[in-house]
Amino acid sequence: QLTNIAKNVNIGGNLLKTVARSISTTSGLYEPRKLPDKTGKNIVLVDGVRTPFLMSGTQYSKLMPHELARHSLLSLLRKTGVDKEVIDYIVYGTVIQEVKTSNIGREAALSAGFSNKTPAHTVTMACISSNQAITTGVGLIATGTYDVIIGGGVEFMSDVPIRHSRKMRSLMLRANKAKTPVQRLSLLASIRPDFFVPELPAVAEFSSGETMGHSADRLAAAFKASRQEQDDYALRSHTLAKQAEEKGYFTDLVPFKVEGVDQTISKDNGIRVSSKEALAKLKPAFVKPYGTVTAANASFLTDGASACLIMTEQKAKELGLKPKAYIRDFLYVSQDPIDQLLLGPAYGIPKVLQKAGLTLKDIDVWEIHEAFAGQIIANLKALDCDSFCKDHLKLPGKFGTPDLNKWNNWGGSLSIGHPFAATGVRLCMHTANRLVRENGQLGLVAACAAGGQGVAMIIERHPDANAN
């Protein structure tokens, strides 16, 4: 049982370290044994990029979201050397929409100079929106509809839409239809003080009204994830992210020169290695005064964009490209959005492994979205719990826990940042690049999402892969 997550992930004093079996950046020592291809197309992840992930309200604050998305699209083309005309279709994710660019996939493509003959659409599935963009692309390729697709996502929390109250919106619409001065004056006379109270967006469930942070605190309590365990996990995430950054492992990150900002932005700005003592001093952020979720063990509001290129293996060969990985399997799960809002990985991991005919021991690299440290610990404990697995997953007993020496070894959303719709591509790219550096074959990506949903994906290293 994971009653002491800190011990299991080798956190204690200064013992925190990255466990990696290889620092190779090429596939020279790799001997592939392919998983079966279920699509008949051998669909590959060629490469992917992202902007630096920045805390909202910082250097990106004067941009619009399509400008971040444009940077990711152009950076992907530059990195792969693929011409715009080769791209058949673009699928792009976003969660908090800018109303001026509601189909942001199309607007970003046009602003990036793609042909107006290249279709694009936008998907939204909360924190797994770019996963949905990728797998939608996989479906379009598998059916033979298209050969080459870009999938990605963007989130811009520095400028979210703030609405007038519904009463004020109604009055304004009626005023627009008023034909006489008397009618307009009558409407003005009906205004009351509460009309001026704006509607602010919140990271909350529409079905329950509960914020995700409050739900995470309840989940942590239900699985007895202590404040110490959560702080230790957060410290692990930041420490490993800092190490990976310093070693140059974030090759998916493309620097961004923002107009009006003096220096080129070349790093994520949320990675901050602190101390146990400093983390322990923070007060609960949601359930006060006894909660365990704090600003330090929760992911922060982030601006960023990402994009990746997927196609058939045959098409990649025709274009002279060396793919990173095969996209072998995936599925989506959903469960109770009130008490199991953030348990997507616990539901998705066993199902996708069983679907692919694999076990926990077959996975060499785990990349799991870190919404909250308490959410991660709860999912790990759920997988290792007899009653949970029997009652909710309909398994004969506990599923077991992944090897934590292979788990998020480059940090995660707690440290790198979490632009809601851009995180999925980062997870896939870190999986692909870690498989090379750690000399592994199979990686598993999983994430929770608002609405009580989740995703799990199996990625296999390609024989030609490198970690650049």
Side-chain angles (χ1 to χ4, degrees):
Q1 292 181 350
L2 294 181
T3 54
N4 189 344
I5 191 78
K7 180 179 179 181
N8 280 302
V9 296
N10 290 326
I11 298 176
N14 296 316
L15 193 58
L16 184 59
K17 60 184 179 181
T18 304
V19 180
R21 286 168 289 162
S22 172
I23 58 171
S24 170
T25 61
T26 68
S27 53
L29 301 177
Y30 178 60
E31 296 181 5
R33 51 178 179 84
K34 287 186 179 180
L35 287 182
D37 172 49
K38 296 183 177 181
T39 65
K41 300 280 187 176
N42 262 335
I43 298 170
V44 294
L45 172 64
V46 175
D47 211 335
V49 299
R50 64 182 178 91
T51 68
F53 287 176
L54 303 187
M55 292 182 288
S56 63
T58 56
Q59 289 100 318
Y60 293 153
S61 61
K62 294 183 179 180
L63 296 176
M64 287 185 68
H66 77 278
E67 294 175 297
L68 281 174
R70 177 179 64 200
H71 176 75
S72 72
L73 294 175
L74 291 174
S75 297
L76 180 65
L77 296 179
R78 283 193 292 266
K79 187 175 183 184
T80 60
V82 172
D83 189 86
K84 293 185 182 77
E85 300 302 322
V86 173
I87 307 303
D88 294 320
Y89 200 91
I90 296 170
V91 190
Y92 216 74
T94 196
V95 180
I96 309 296
Q97 290 191 346
E98 163 58 58
V99 294
K100 293 180 180 178
T101 57
S102 57
N103 184 2
I104 197 165
R106 176 65 168 169
E107 301 301 338
L110 291 174
S111 69
F114 281 79
S115 167
N116 58 18
K117 304 296 185 184
T118 305
H121 82 270
T122 299
V123 296
T124 186
M125 200 174 182
C127 304
I128 54 178
S129 293
S130 58
N131 301 86
Q132 183 59 253
I134 293 169
T135 58
T136 297
V138 168
L140 290 170
I141 294 172
T143 58
T145 308
Y146 298 111
D147 292 322
V148 182
I149 291 180
I150 289 178
V154 62
E155 212 62 50
F156 191 66
M157 301 302 292
S158 289
D159 182 27
V160 295
I162 299 173
R163 303 199 301 180
H164 286 291
S165 69
R166 185 157 191 170
K167 292 178 181 178
M168 180 61 83
R169 297 199 307 272
S170 175
L171 183 143
M172 293 170 73
L173 289 170
R174 284 181 285 137
N176 194 48
K177 296 178 181 179
K179 298 184 182 301
T180 68
V182 173
Q183 288 175 332
R184 295 189 186 99
L185 287 172
S186 175
L187 287 170
L188 287 173
S190 70
I191 293 177
R192 297 293 179 268
D194 64 336
F195 282 31
F196 296 98
V197 179
E199 289 184 4
L200 301 175
V203 185
E205 293 299 300
F206 180 80
S207 57
S208 67
E210 185 178 36
T211 64
M212 191 171 282
H214 195 282
S215 181
D217 220 323
R218 289 197 301 108
L219 185 70
F223 282 91
K224 296 180 172 57
S226 70
R227 168 70 181 271
Q228 182 69 57
E229 288 175 316
Q230 294 175 62
D231 286 351
D232 284 345
Y233 186 89
L235 179 59
R236 175 192 193 267
S237 182
H238 282 270
T239 303
L240 294 181
K242 186 65 174 177
Q243 291 175 357
E245 180 184 69
E246 290 175 346
K247 291 176 181 178
Y249 288 173
F250 293 162
T251 54
D252 58 327
L253 186 153
V254 179
F256 191 3
K257 182 64 178 77
V258 177
E259 186 177 351
V261 177
D262 293 337
Q263 295 182 335
T264 297
I265 301 165
S266 59
K267 292 183 178 181
D268 307 310
N269 72 357
I271 302 173
R272 298 179 180 182
V273 180
S274 187
S275 65
K276 287 186 176 183
E277 293 74 21
L279 296 183
K281 292 178 182 178
L282 295 178
K283 295 181 179 180
F286 300 98
V287 179
K288 303 173 182 180
Y290 303 114
T292 56
V293 175
T294 70
N297 60 41
S299 57
F300 48 89
L301 296 179
T302 312
D303 298 334
S306 61
C308 68
L309 184 63
I310 61 174
M311 62 183 69
T312 63
E313 185 178 31
Q314 181 59 40
K315 189 67 175 181
K317 289 179 179 178
E318 292 174 10
L319 295 173
L321 299 170
K322 294 184 176 181
K324 296 274 189 181
Y326 298 99
I327 301 173
R328 287 305 192 199
D329 225 323
F330 67 87
L331 53 75
Y332 292 88
V333 294
S334 60
Q335 55 279 339
D336 176 13
I338 297 177
D339 292 328
Q340 298 184 344
L341 177 68
L342 302 172
L343 287 178
Y347 278 87
I349 288 170
K351 287 185 177 181
V352 80
L353 287 176
Q354 290 167 357
K355 184 169 179 271
L358 300 171
T359 69
L360 286 170
K361 293 181 180 179
D362 291 315
I363 301 302
D364 302 302
V365 164
W366 296 86
E367 280 291 333
I368 313 299
H369 166 48
E370 300 170 347
F372 302 87
Q375 159 255 330
I376 288 288
I377 296 166
N379 276 271
L380 288 168
K381 290 189 175 186
L383 288 170
D384 204 44
C385 175
D386 272 313
S387 60
F388 179 86
C389 290
K390 288 178 180 178
D391 296 343
H392 299 286
L393 304 184
K394 307 307 177 186
L395 297 173
K398 66 180 182 179
F399 189 73
T401 53
D403 182 349
L404 295 181
N405 289 325
K406 304 174 183 179
W407 179 280
N408 289 11
N409 282 351
W410 293 357
S413 301
L414 287 173
S415 48
I416 296 168
H418 175 41
F420 301 144
T423 289
V425 169
R426 179 194 67 76
L427 291 170
C428 290
M429 291 312 305
H430 282 197
T431 300
N433 288 332
R434 280 184 56 203
L435 283 170
V436 176
R437 292 191 182 274
E438 298 173 23
N439 200 30
Q441 180 204 357
L442 297 174
L444 194 150
V445 169
C448 58
Q453 303 195 99
V455 67
M457 302 172 66
I458 301 289
I459 292 175
E460 180 180 11
R461 179 179 170 184
H462 192 277
D464 295 332
N466 64 58
N468 297 327

